[in-house]
Amino acid sequence: MFEFCADPASLAGIEWLSCYLTTGKHMGLYWAVGTVLLLLAITAPAALLFGFGGAAAARSHFRPLSWFGKGYIAIVRGVPDIAFFLFFVIALDQGFEWIRHQIKCPDWDQPIRQGNDFIVCAAAKLPLSSSPQVYHEVYGFFLAVLTFALVFGAFAANVLYGAMRAVPHAQMETAEAYGMSHRQAFWRIMVPQMWVYALPGLSNLWMVLIKATPLLFLLGVEDIVYWARELGGMKTPQFTDYPHADWRVWYFLALLVFYLAFTHVSEIVLARISRRLSHGQATLAGEKLRKGPRGRGKAAA
Amino acid sequence: MSCWDTIADYALRSQGIGERLLPRSDFTLCQQFTLIGSGMIWNIYFGVLALVSGFMLATGVAVAKAHHQLWLRKPAEWFIFVFRGSPLFIQFFFAYFLFQSLKAGYPFFGAFTAAWLGALLVLFLNTAAYSAEIFYGALMSVPKGDVEAADAYGMSGWPRFRRVIWPTMLRLAWPAYTNEAIFLFHATTLVFFSGFPASQQRGDALYYASYFADKTFNPFIPYPILAFYFILLTLTVIGLFGLVNKRLNHHLPKERRAKIRLRVNLIR
């Protein structure tokens, strides 16, 4: 990258390191950090949306819908989440291909499951075997995002379901006394108030989501774990200009520090949001804010 | 080949006893049930040992974190921060490569590169950190009156801790600790998917489940089997911890007893 990097063998110390850390492969690692952030940026709102849908379904008066919502919430408890990750990636992939197969090749007469193989017609393959490599990567990433959103959506549904029930019932009754319909009361009274009750659970979930991002590696995405293993392994002079011993322990130490910093910053930001949301709420935290620091002594007494 | 033969061949396969080769084709339901069940031995091994040893360290760390002296409090806080703030998955990788590089200098660390010891150590430290945070929270909410009553009886120091503070702390922490135990068992599935290799295909339940899913390209059989085993394990843990909870609460009137409620899932 830098001009003095032309002949790595002659470099030493900090110059060598600065060249080493800016090789093309290391750029892959830095891009992978971006992948992780992108995953978080897409998954968090998607999971919240799934969670909202799940919680609303679980509250529904229509029985089958309520069973579906409750089932969705319940199924992720009791089973290791990593099993879900491994399961959903294959299951979703096969599900999509099966649907496309039904639409695109209606006159296909062979069974789809032949012994140990899952065979759909060539036109139903996702992505098409003729499409460029980047499509395969995007599709893999898309599957990973969908899997994360499904699993975390169930967690979020659980949190939001609890938060909806935590909104004081009198608020809903008052809304109905004012002549609001169920739907209006739900959107205008419950939804704006539930966030303060949901925030502790959602903050926890965000931390859990951050800590789940290395699992991308298991889903076949070239994420930071992949690159740390790849770059850290022993390099001999035949194959690279920057030979080194097995440095994987240092790469994983760097990842450890990266995640610690990330969760720590998140903690600080979430504490701020919680403070902001508590403003004017009829909760202990809101009361504390109202009274200010002088009132705190009185409250404790 | 009947199902009993399969069980005889593969029930202890995860420990290296029985048939050497895993089934390669024509997988029967019986084979999948047996092998995944065999893998559960590892999950239970990691879970139980980490839980028991982690419990003791967690008590110590929680007390240290609540201590007023800085040199005790700070290390405890850092220990909890490091293990709770980073993904378990990365901790496994880091530990594995750390032990590998230590092995080069000190052959003593050779055993730690194997999952049975190295991964157990990571799980032990990890669950100790999570439990310590739970115990610390409970320690902070031990009722003032209980401690004052102990003082009035002339108890102090160790007897006061052992007979008043510690049992109350456990009672308050128990519902949360039950969840921690459940998710520790779930976390054991990560072991063979991180750095630690499964030698001679002796893996845990998830290792075999994904083996079958890869071979048959059909995730709809092995993963539900795995889920079945884990739900069974979860129910067992809830049952056992419920008994302890009963014992911890038996001096209280019925309505004040804390119930164990399963909380939302935690990935570490």
Side-chain angles (χ1 to χ4, degrees), chain A residues 84-235:
Chain A
F84 275 104
F85 284 109
L86 295 179
F87 170 78
F88 271 129
V89 165
I90 311 181
L92 284 173
D93 184 35
Q94 292 189 351
F96 288 141
E97 288 195 343
W98 183 81
I99 292 169
R100 280 166 61 93
H101 179 82
Q102 299 296 332
I103 297 168
K104 299 213 166 180
C105 314
D107 39 340
W108 185 270
D109 54 356
Q110 287 162 352
I112 288 181
R113 285 205 186 281
Q114 298 178 7
N116 291 337
D117 287 318
F118 179 86
I119 297 169
V120 291
C121 61
K125 281 257 189 294
L126 255 182
L128 294 172
S129 45
S130 57
S131 48
Q133 174 64 20
V134 64
Y135 275 40
H136 287 262
E137 278 172 22
V138 168
Y139 179 65
F141 185 72
F142 165 74
L143 276 184
V145 166
L146 200 57
T147 305
F148 266 75
L150 269 175
V151 174
F152 279 89
F155 301 164
N158 192 36
V159 171
L160 292 179
Y161 182 62
M164 285 178 184
R165 297 214 303 186
V167 172
H169 201 64
Q171 297 273 348
M172 295 299 282
E173 283 171 356
T174 313
E176 273 165 32
Y178 272 98
M180 285 191 190
S181 66
H182 260 305
R183 181 180 298 251
Q184 282 175 325
F186 177 76
W187 283 109
R188 297 186 190 176
I189 306 297
M190 181 170 284
V191 172
Q193 285 192 68
M194 69 182 206
W195 298 109
V196 69
Y197 300 101
L199 194 70
L202 290 180
S203 323
N204 186 26
L205 208 58
W206 170 252
M207 299 302 218
V208 172
L209 184 61
I210 292 177
K211 288 191 267 170
T213 48
L215 297 181
L216 268 180
F217 171 69
L218 294 182
L219 309 186
V221 176
E222 291 188 0
D223 76 330
I224 43 184
V225 177
Y226 168 85
W227 282 110
R229 276 165 58 113
E230 193 72 13
L231 293 167
M234 188 160 71
K235 299 283 186 306

Side-chain angles (χ1 to χ4, degrees), chain A residues 76 82 94 116 211 248 263, chain B residues 84-85 130 189 216-217 265:
Chain A
V76 285
I82 167 180
Q94 292 189 351
N116 291 337
K211 288 191 267 170
R248 282 178 293 191
T263 47
Chain B
R84 289 185 77 227
Y130 276 87
T189 51
T216 60
F217 210 58
N265 214 339

Side-chain angles (χ1 to χ4, degrees), chain A residues 76-83 85-87 90-91 93-95 97 113 115-118 151-152 154-156 158-159 165 204-205 207-208 210-215 217-218 224-225 229 246 248-250 252-253 255-256 259-261 263-264 267, chain B residues 24-27 81-91 93-94 96-98 100-101 130 182-183 185-187 189-190 193-195 206 210 213-220 223-224 226-228 230-231 234 261-268:
Chain A
V76 285
R77 301 163 167 188
V79 181
D81 13 59
I82 167 180
F85 284 109
L86 295 179
F87 170 78
I90 311 181
D93 184 35
Q94 292 189 351
E97 288 195 343
R113 285 205 186 281
N116 291 337
D117 287 318
F118 179 86
V151 174
F152 279 89
F155 301 164
N158 192 36
V159 171
R165 297 214 303 186
N204 186 26
L205 208 58
M207 299 302 218
V208 172
I210 292 177
K211 288 191 267 170
T213 48
L215 297 181
F217 171 69
L218 294 182
I224 43 184
V225 177
R229 276 165 58 113
D246 190 347
R248 282 178 293 191
V249 59
W250 299 114
F252 277 98
L253 184 65
L255 286 193
L256 210 64
Y259 275 106
L260 281 177
T263 47
H264 190 62
E267 226 163 35
Chain B
R24 302 205 160 223
S25 55
D26 307 320
F27 303 95
F81 171 66
V82 166
F83 279 96
R84 289 185 77 227
S86 60
L88 178 64
F89 198 49
I90 303 284
Q91 289 166 21
F93 271 114
F94 175 68
Y96 177 67
F97 292 123
L98 180 71
Q100 274 226 316
S101 40
Y130 276 87
I182 292 168
F183 298 123
F185 276 106
H186 291 181
T189 51
L190 275 174
F193 281 86
S194 57
L206 186 64
S210 78
D214 283 351
K215 289 278 184 239
T216 60
F217 210 58
N218 179 2
F220 298 97
Y223 288 122
L226 178 81
F228 162 77
F230 264 94
I231 288 170
T234 305
R261 284 182 58 217
L262 193 54
R263 288 269 163 206
V264 84
N265 214 339
L266 289 162
I267 300 177
R268 308 161 172 240

Side-chain angles (χ1 to χ4, degrees), chain B residues 30-225:
Chain B
C30 178
Q31 282 173 338
Q32 306 203 12
F33 255 105
T34 313
L35 258 177
I36 295 174
S38 158
M40 288 300 287
I41 298 173
W42 277 118
N43 296 98
I44 293 170
Y45 161 83
F46 283 126
V48 169
L49 286 187
L51 212 61
V52 170
S53 52
F55 176 82
M56 297 179 214
L57 181 62
T59 312
V61 173
V63 171
K65 192 180 172 182
H67 207 272
H68 56 89
Q69 267 172 357
L70 208 65
W71 63 273
L72 266 174
R73 197 173 69 229
K74 278 291 157 197
E77 279 175 356
W78 271 96
F79 173 73
I80 292 176
F81 171 66
V82 166
F83 279 96
R84 289 185 77 227
S86 60
L88 178 64
F89 198 49
I90 303 284
Q91 289 166 21
F92 275 135
F93 271 114
F94 175 68
Y96 177 67
F97 292 123
L98 180 71
F99 291 139
Q100 274 226 316
S101 40
L102 283 176
K103 191 169 120 185
Y106 313 90
F108 165 73
F109 285 102
F112 284 91
T113 53
W116 69 269
L117 188 57
L120 183 63
L121 184 71
V122 176
L123 280 169
F124 154 64
L125 294 173
N126 189 279
T127 187
Y130 276 87
S131 316
E133 187 63 23
I134 294 171
F135 288 164
Y136 171 74
L139 203 60
M140 290 290 101
S141 32
V142 169
K144 216 166 85 177
D146 287 18
V147 184
E148 283 169 355
D151 286 338
Y153 274 100
M155 283 186 189
S156 65
W158 176 244
R160 185 179 74 170
F161 178 76
R162 197 180 65 83
R163 302 184 61 173
V164 178
I165 298 179
W166 191 61
T168 312
M169 177 196 93
L170 274 190
R171 177 171 69 82
L172 295 174
W174 207 255
Y177 188 62
T178 307
N179 285 308
E180 160 60 24
I182 292 168
F183 298 123
L184 175 70
F185 276 106
H186 291 181
T188 56
T189 51
L190 275 174
V191 170
F192 291 107
F193 281 86
S194 57
F196 293 97
S199 66
Q200 298 167 352
Q201 295 185 312
R202 299 180 198 170
D204 75 329
L206 186 64
Y207 177 86
Y208 290 122
S210 78
Y211 172 84
F212 284 119
D214 283 351
K215 289 278 184 239
T216 60
F217 210 58
N218 179 2
F220 298 97
I221 295 170
Y223 288 122
I225 294 175

